[in-house]
Amino acid sequence: MSDSRTRGCALLADIGGTNARFAMVEDGVVGPVTYVKVADFPTVKDAVADVLSRSVLSAPVKTAVLAVAGPVENNRCVMTNSPWIIDGAELQPAFAFDTVHVLNDFEVLAWSLPALQPADLLPLGGKAGVSGAPMLVLGPGTGFGASCLVERNGARIAVITEAGHATLPPETEREEQVVDRMRKRLGFVCIERGALSGAGLQNLYEALAEVEGIPAPKRDAAGITTAALDGSCKLSHAALEMFCGLLGSVAGNLALTFCARGGVYIAGGIVPRFPKFLAASDFRKRFEAKGSFEGYLRNIPTSLVVKPDASFEGLKAFSDHHTA
């Protein structure tokens, strides 16, 4: 049977619009994570060349697995917030890789789920997940991502979604009023733009101010979160509470959609900043509030992913699964 030494080493990368992180896998072990500024390199090939030139390895790099914060088609991603184009067909001959895999960042997070340990997670209710059942990861950041890891007969696949562009589901009269205000301003109100992203939280905050008939100091998502957590702004606090409730509703909808009895995991760049607030919010209550299926959802565990480099667990898992 082949092992990591006969297969060669692997290059792992997690690439965002501002920063990119790289790590090497040697003898089955993920090495230190190297951080680079995207703006420091004109192309991803320049960044990869720089990382490889500074790596001292016992075997050639045969595989590259890259997570990107954007849509992937035909092993290629055109980044929306940077000039980089991540194209596996270009990187493979440029560095004599045997294989290059370009994956959506939430697809990679789905691959990480079986490897996460209790210390990597903050429990948010529910019972133990069902072994072998679908596992769902979702979360707000610059956008809203969701992916589900499905296992059948020892084979795994991460199902990619565009769930963030589905309709935002208000469930209270106040939420209906807020969504109605956004609908007048935005037209169609999706999950991502209407609430569950950085821009979505800002839209939620501004629409809530209109409903309440009070002035809203200009704040971005980070400012809203800070003002909510330090108690300096009641409007920000109310917006973040509504954000958590809507997140619970969306998570419950997706858990039913995928029958995600293996567990539901919250990730992304926003929610890990306020774990205690989320745990004390209506998130779990709204997650379970699905009528006759409330009992079904009550058994599904929900957790917040608190491990900073969880994506590298997923990158390695994908690499192992596809080169074994």
Side-chain angles (χ1 to χ4, degrees):
M1 179 175 293
S2 65
D3 61 18
S4 59
R5 288 177 287 260
T6 59
R7 291 198 307 264
C9 299
L11 170 70
L12 310 181
D14 185 1
I15 301 170
T18 303
N19 300 298
R21 299 177 296 162
F22 295 89
M24 308 302 301
V25 177
E26 186 173 17
D27 294 336
V29 178
V30 179
V33 177
T34 299
Y35 292 75
V36 303
K37 293 285 187 184
V38 170
D40 290 344
F41 298 92
T43 69
V44 68
K45 284 197 292 186
D46 295 303
V48 169
D50 179 72
V51 170
L52 291 177
S53 71
R54 292 186 282 116
S55 300
V56 179
L57 302 168
S58 60
V61 178
K62 295 294 188 180
T63 302
V65 186
L66 305 100
V68 294
V72 177
E73 293 187 13
N74 299 319
N75 213 31
R76 184 176 188 267
C77 177
V78 178
M79 301 291 288
T80 55
N81 295 315
S82 86
W84 283 11
I85 297 174
I86 320 298
D87 191 334
E90 291 184 0
L91 292 172
Q92 185 173 343
F95 298 101
F97 295 144
D98 288 347
T99 56
V100 177
H101 300 279
V102 181
L103 311 175
N104 173 266
D105 54 350
F106 267 82
E107 179 180 4
V108 167
L109 283 172
W111 276 97
S112 78
L113 299 179
L116 296 180
Q117 302 300 311
D120 303 327
L121 304 167
L122 174 67
L124 296 169
K127 299 181 180 178
V130 176
S131 178
M135 305 171 78
L136 174 70
V137 60
L138 59 101
T142 303
F144 179 88
S147 181
C148 186
L149 189 71
V150 180
E151 184 172 340
R152 289 292 182 272
N153 301 319
R156 288 174 177 166
I157 184 171
V159 180
I160 312 305
T161 80
E162 289 294 345
H165 300 288
T167 306
L168 181 69
E171 293 189 6
T172 69
E173 183 177 345
R174 195 180 190 205
E175 287 174 358
E176 291 279 5
Q177 293 172 339
V178 167
V179 170
D180 185 61
R181 296 294 176 128
M182 285 193 283
R183 197 177 290 121
K184 289 181 172 62
R185 180 154 35 101
L186 303 174
F188 174 66
V189 181
C190 65
I191 290 168
E192 179 176 294
R193 198 175 181 197
L196 302 184
S197 68
L201 177 57
Q202 189 173 343
N203 285 330
L204 194 67
Y205 166 82
E206 293 170 356
L208 184 59
E210 290 182 34
V211 169
E212 299 292 345
I214 58 177
K218 192 69 176 176
R219 289 191 172 100
D220 61 10
I224 294 165
T225 301
T226 298
L229 298 179
D230 67 17
S232 62
C233 176
K234 290 184 178 179
L235 177 63
S236 295
H237 191 277
L240 198 61
E241 283 188 327
M242 188 173 288
F243 175 98
C244 291
L246 288 165
L247 180 61
S249 292
V250 169
N253 287 347
L254 290 171
L256 289 175
T257 300
F258 287 101
C259 295
R261 294 184 300 147
V264 174
Y265 299 80
I266 309 301
I270 293 179
V271 184
R273 299 176 185 178
F274 48 88
K276 292 182 179 179
F277 190 100
L278 179 69
S281 75
D282 283 341
F283 166 81
R284 181 69 199 193
K285 178 182 177 182
R286 293 280 293 268
F287 175 83
E288 295 180 6
K290 302 297 179 188
S292 60
F293 267 74
E294 191 167 313
Y296 180 92
L297 288 163
R298 191 177 298 125
N299 290 324
I300 295 177
T302 49
S303 304
L304 176 65
V305 179
V306 295
K307 182 179 176 66
D309 292 322
S311 58
F312 284 91
E313 296 282 359
L315 289 162
K316 183 179 182 298
F318 180 92
S319 178
D320 290 346
H321 199 72
H322 287 78
T323 56

